Amino acid sequence: APAAPPPAPAPASTPAAAASGAKKPSAATATSPRAKRAAMLRTRQASRSYSQATATAFAALAQLSNCYNKPGIYGALGTTCSLPIFGSDSVCSAAGFYSVPGSLWVQSQKGWGLQSVKLAPVSSTSSFKAGVALIFHAQEPAYAELVPLPGCEGCLVDMEYLSMADAAIEAARWALPDCATAMMADNAAAAAQMIKELCSVYVTGHGGGAGLAQVVAYKLKSMPYRIETSYLFNAPKVGDEKFAAAMAGALSGAAPQPGPVINVVTGRGSEWPTYPTYKPYKAWAYEAYYPSNSSSSMTAFCAAGDATCGSSQARATVGEKPNACSHALAPGGDLCGFSVQQCYLGWPAAEAGNED
């Protein structure tokens, strides 16, 4: 088993740290009527951030993570996320953004992979915010041990996910936005504005990659990168109740917090937020629920664990992993699908077959 991560250094007292909203997360459980109303309001605000077109584009990016660093990934990403060509949109330009040519960076390690690419709005009228997308792929860990998460008081996360997250952040440092200017700002207000303009990051992935993205998002939030509205697919639980509460507070999408981070689940994949089934793992974030692969729109948007969520009604079977691949928004309905043409010849995700 991987060694437990070393203790985190004491947080620096800088204007940028203050501007990022970094503070000790509350471990209190929202049980009072006032807290419940506040949670409902946050969920309603988060639902306004959801865009099916953008989620569909991110699902295509998550599918491309299966190619790791195969030679076709550069062409596949470029054609999947190109600007409109002869008036025809790519899946990404239809959502208002495209991948900046030449910006793809790929890292592949034992157990996990990362693709980093710069995204930009297709026009000045697009609401999409320029930033760096981190696309994760990871093998499912053994869920053997929960360990303390540095910088999050009382929080426990899966040991293997934390180890992978530390390695992924270290490997991707040069590919992340340059926030040095924000770190040197004279005051918190100036730092906040610079972080908003210069330090935007998106995270995505499916199954184990979505689990890894959760831990990375929390750690980047305090560095002080700004996590923009991001979409995960069939994401499992990765930590305990205190970590879930800290994540919900730090990446809720409610002003002035960044985010939200949304777990988009469908069909049997809706069981993923309930996996692993044993305590003390706890689901977090918001869920956009699609009942089946043939669903054309979501039927519920709710806070993780809410009884009205489709995932709360599709409980995972003890000892059995849910299907992380099947998804209504994925090209071909399969997040794990890829083909020789896609990974070696650079065909776009939307045109690739589903040959595992």
Side-chain angles (χ1 to χ4, degrees):
S13 177
T14 64
S20 70
K23 59 182 180 180
K24 291 183 178 180
S26 171
T29 303
T31 55
S32 69
R34 177 179 294 180
K36 289 180 179 179
R37 286 195 298 270
M40 289 177 62
L41 179 60
R42 287 195 299 270
T43 301
R44 190 175 305 148
Q45 290 175 331
S47 69
R48 298 191 186 107
S49 300
Y50 183 79
S51 163
Q52 182 163 301
T54 306
T56 301
F58 272 75
L61 293 176
Q63 190 198 65
L64 287 176
S65 70
N66 295 292
C67 289
Y68 281 92
N69 59 349
K70 293 181 174 67
I73 182 59
Y74 299 91
L77 177 68
T79 50
T80 298
C81 261
S82 68
L83 284 164
I85 300 176
F86 301 117
S88 178
D89 274 316
S90 68
V91 67
C92 293
S93 65
F97 69 93
Y98 71 101
S99 62
V100 176
S103 67
L104 176 63
W105 175 84
V106 180
Q107 178 75 19
S108 183
Q109 298 288 342
K110 184 178 180 180
W112 63 271
L114 166 64
Q115 296 159 353
S116 169
V117 64
K118 292 180 180 179
L119 304 179
V122 295
S123 69
S124 59
T125 60
S126 172
S127 60
F128 189 86
K129 193 173 186 306
V132 172
L134 301 179
I135 310 163
F136 294 97
H137 190 287
Q139 296 177 1
E140 277 298 299
Y143 295 104
E145 183 180 354
L146 289 168
V147 295
L149 174 63
C152 184
E153 186 175 1
C155 300
L156 299 176
V157 296
D158 183 83
M159 177 177 65
E160 292 182 61
Y161 274 129
L162 180 58
S163 177
M164 287 189 288
D166 287 336
I169 291 173
E170 183 61 31
R173 279 190 184 277
W174 77 271
L176 288 165
D178 182 5
C179 294
T181 304
M183 296 296 289
M184 295 185 291
D186 294 332
N187 57 72
Q193 185 61 30
M194 290 181 182
I195 289 170
K196 187 174 181 180
E197 294 176 357
L198 304 174
C199 306
S200 293
V201 174
Y202 297 86
V203 296
T204 193
H206 67 88
L212 173 56
Q214 296 176 56
V215 184
V216 170
Y218 185 84
K219 292 176 73 68
L220 288 180
K221 162 68 171 59
S222 60
M223 285 187 161
Y225 297 101
R226 178 179 174 86
I227 305 300
E228 302 293 344
T229 301
S230 297
Y231 299 89
L232 308 180
F233 302 91
N234 296 345
K237 296 180 285 188
V238 299
D240 68 350
E241 184 173 3
K242 290 183 179 180
F243 173 69
M247 285 290 283
L251 297 168
S252 66
Q257 296 293 345
V261 176
I262 301 168
N263 186 12
V264 189
V265 296
T266 183
R268 278 210 64 209
S270 64
E271 298 171 2
W272 267 105
T274 72
Y275 182 85
T277 53
Y278 45 85
K279 294 182 178 180
Y281 286 89
K282 177 78 173 178
W284 76 274
Y286 301 103
E287 295 172 20
Y289 176 67
Y290 292 75
S292 71
N293 272 18
S294 60
S295 301
S296 59
S297 61
M298 68 175 179
T299 58
F301 188 98
C302 42
D306 191 305
T308 63
C309 280
S311 60
S312 294
Q313 302 170 36
R315 308 302 296 179
T317 303
V318 175
E320 179 181 340
K321 286 187 178 181
N323 183 350
C325 299
S326 177
H327 206 284
L329 301 186
D334 186 2
L335 287 163
C336 302
F338 62 92
S339 70
V340 170
Q341 295 96 325
Q342 178 180 319
C343 293
Y344 288 93
L345 301 180
W347 286 21
E351 295 180 10
N354 294 324
E355 304 166 10
D356 202 342

